[in-house]
Amino acid sequence: MPAQFETFLCLSDNVGVLIHDPSTGATAVVDVPDAGAALAAAARRGWTITDVLITHEHGDHIQGVAEVKEKTGAKVTGPAQAMAGAPVDVVVEDGSRIAVGSLKGEVHATPGHAAGHVIFHFPAETAAFVGDVLFVMGCGRAFGSMDDLWRSVSKVGSLPDDTRLWTGHDYTLSNAKFAMSVEPGNVDLQKRFMRAETLKANGELWGTTNVGMEKLTNPFLRLKEPEIRKSTHLTESATPREVFAALREMKNRF
Ligand SMILES: [Zn+2]
């Protein structure tokens, strides 16, 4: 039976998500910005949280982990870097395999935003949880190395096009505005920008996407587009890595 998902808002702009295995009843929450929000989301669906998957060590992703573990007895899986702030039971790294009930996932190291950042990819479910590496029409900040972040964002972009992505934050409207500023001629982007404006006006959450749509509209996955390179004022010979770094700096100042 295919996995079921529940997406919900946490704090002001964090995106919470549950992945549920109907055949075993196992349910994982990916990151816990707010334990109350995660437990309430599970209760709404009649699910019990059995697993916590941590994408990275930032406080707004792990601060509710201890409370969820205490209230549910869930097993906590995450990178070693999260251990200082959360009760991690199983440490994972690049290439680790995980399971949520009968659902099988792969762990990919994706540093750059945070040293210990990992993403969880469930190929058979065409789903991946990408934390703060990639956002809808945008990407995370480079608190670590810009080269690492570029490689990590590219890694998400190299997953199959139909892979559904759950991101760590809803920065969608701000990202759409920035994307429009660097590639105003992109028709797919224009449509998504209008949709972001409508959803935001209605107060709705938009933190999910898929790889194919991001390849059409996310400037950080469109580094070879002439219009985007031009907007960075780099020369024709600029490499994708250089375009990425320039775009990220521009977004910081946007
Ligand atoms: Zn973060």
Side-chain angles (χ1 to χ4, degrees):
M1 274 195 280
Q4 297 174 333
F5 302 89
E6 175 74 11
T7 310
F8 53 96
L9 178 70
C10 296
L11 309 178
S12 61
D13 54 39
N14 285 73
V15 180
V17 57
L18 302 173
I19 173 170
H20 176 74
D21 175 18
S23 58
T24 63
T27 301
V29 59
V30 182
D31 294 335
V32 191
D34 176 348
L39 294 165
R44 267 200 303 279
R45 297 293 298 257
W47 301 341
T48 301
I49 295 174
T50 54
D51 294 86
V52 178
L53 306 178
I54 298 174
T55 63
H56 67 294
E57 63 269 30
H58 288 164
D60 66 318
H61 290 255
I62 61 173
Q63 63 200 10
V65 172
E67 187 180 338
V68 165
K69 182 175 174 170
E70 194 186 298
K71 294 195 168 147
T72 62
K75 180 174 82 178
V76 180
T77 298
Q81 286 86 345
M83 293 178 88
V88 178
D89 300 306
V90 180
V91 174
V92 289
E93 56 187 15
D94 195 45
S96 296
R97 306 270 165 170
I98 59 159
V100 176
S102 67
L103 309 172
K104 304 264 183 279
E106 301 169 353
V107 179
H108 299 287
T110 49
H113 171 77
H117 204 299
V118 296
I119 62 170
F120 299 98
H121 180 213
F122 291 77
E125 311 306 321
T126 61
F129 304 100
V130 299
D132 289 0
V133 172
L134 191 91
F135 299 128
V136 181
M137 292 176 268
C139 76
R141 281 178 188 267
F143 292 117
S145 136
M146 187 68 88
D147 274 6
D148 280 349
L149 184 64
W150 165 60
R151 275 188 284 270
S152 294
V153 168
S154 307
K155 200 181 268 187
V156 175
S158 69
L159 297 174
D161 278 0
D162 62 351
T163 308
R164 294 169 290 173
L165 304 176
W166 277 262
T167 73
H169 291 268
D170 177 356
Y171 297 146
T172 303
L173 183 56
S174 153
N175 288 340
K177 284 178 181 163
F178 174 72
M180 283 289 287
S181 77
V182 295
E183 201 186 16
N186 179 339
V187 176
D188 296 305
L189 176 58
Q190 291 164 11
K191 286 184 201 154
R192 277 191 122 192
F193 171 62
M194 285 193 288
R195 179 154 176 249
E197 285 198 307
T198 306
L199 286 185
K200 270 297 138 205
N202 296 335
E204 286 178 51
L205 179 66
W206 188 1
T208 57
T209 181
N210 68 50
V211 172
M213 281 307 298
E214 290 311 303
K215 280 156 77 173
L216 289 175
T217 58
N218 190 323
F220 296 95
L221 291 175
R222 298 173 59 76
L223 305 169
K224 290 178 182 162
E225 288 301 315
E227 191 179 15
I228 290 181
R229 194 191 48 232
K230 225 172 182 177
S231 74
T232 65
H233 304 293
L234 292 169
T235 62
E236 294 264 322
S237 61
T239 63
R241 182 204 148 279
E242 289 166 335
V243 174
F244 181 90
L247 281 177
R248 189 53 259 186
E249 301 284 345
M250 286 165 68
K251 176 66 168 73
N252 290 346
R253 299 189 302 270
F254 185 69

